[in-house]
Amino acid sequence: MQSSNRRALGSGDGSESPGDHRQGHGLAFDEAPADVRYDDPWYDALASGWGEAGAAGAPTAHLAAAEAPAARRAREDAAEAAAQVYLEVQRSEAFREVRGRYRRFVVPATVGFFLWYVAYVVAATAAPELMARPVAGAVNVALLAGLGQFLTTFLLTWAYSRHARLRRDRAALELRWDTQELTREARGGAS
C-alpha cells in the first residue's frame, strides 16, 4: 500500500510501528512546540488570512489574529446586551401574563388527568369485581374505563391546542417579535 506521499507503507499486518505513520509529516508529535495546544482556540488563527496579500504582498495572517480579540469582545458585548434584553422581557408584565395563562390551564389539566389515571389503576387493582362487571355483552367497566383514558387524552390535547390558540399564541407571538426587535437593536442593528 502507498501513502499519499508515494511512500510504501506496511502490508497491513500490523507490523509497522506508530512512528512509521508519522514519517514525512513534518514535526513528530513529540517534537511539537510546547506552547501550541490543540485545544487552544487561537491554534488556527494564523491560518485565517493565509493566502491573502497585504499592501506589500505579504500574508496578512498576523492582522487577522490581531483583530480576532476585538471581534470576540464585540460579540461577547452583543451577547451580553441580548441576554439583558431577555431578562427584561422575562420581568415584563406581558411575559408574566402569558406564563400565567399557560399555568392556569396546564396545572389543573395535569392534576385532573393524573387523578383520573390513578383512579383507573387503583380501581383495576382494588376493585376487580367492579371492573369486571359487564355493561353490554363482552364489554365491561374496565374496557370502558381504558377506552376513556384514550378519549380523555385526545380531548385534553384538543383543549390544550384550542386554549393555546385562543388565549396565548397571539400574545406570545407579539412578545417574541418584540424580543427579537429589542435583541436586534441591542446587537447594534446587525441580525
Side-chain angles (χ1 to χ4, degrees), residues 89-173:
V89 168
Q90 186 179 9
R91 293 182 194 118
S92 72
E93 185 61 36
F95 182 80
R96 278 192 239 128
E97 180 63 29
V98 170
R99 293 296 294 175
R101 289 177 184 176
Y102 171 77
R103 287 186 183 124
R104 282 192 295 275
F105 179 85
V106 168
V107 171
T110 302
V111 169
F113 185 78
F114 181 74
L115 290 175
W116 161 229
Y117 176 75
V118 169
Y120 172 72
V121 172
V122 168
T125 56
E129 63 279 351
L130 170 69
M131 298 298 269
R133 183 173 296 158
V135 175
V139 177
N140 59 15
V141 173
L143 182 62
L144 289 178
L147 291 174
Q149 291 286 316
F150 285 104
L151 179 64
T152 55
T153 301
F154 292 122
L155 286 175
L156 190 58
T157 303
W158 171 80
Y160 176 81
S161 65
R162 183 175 185 274
H163 179 270
R165 182 174 31 91
L166 295 177
R167 302 227 192 313
R168 291 191 329 264
D169 284 353
R170 181 165 303 202
L173 185 61

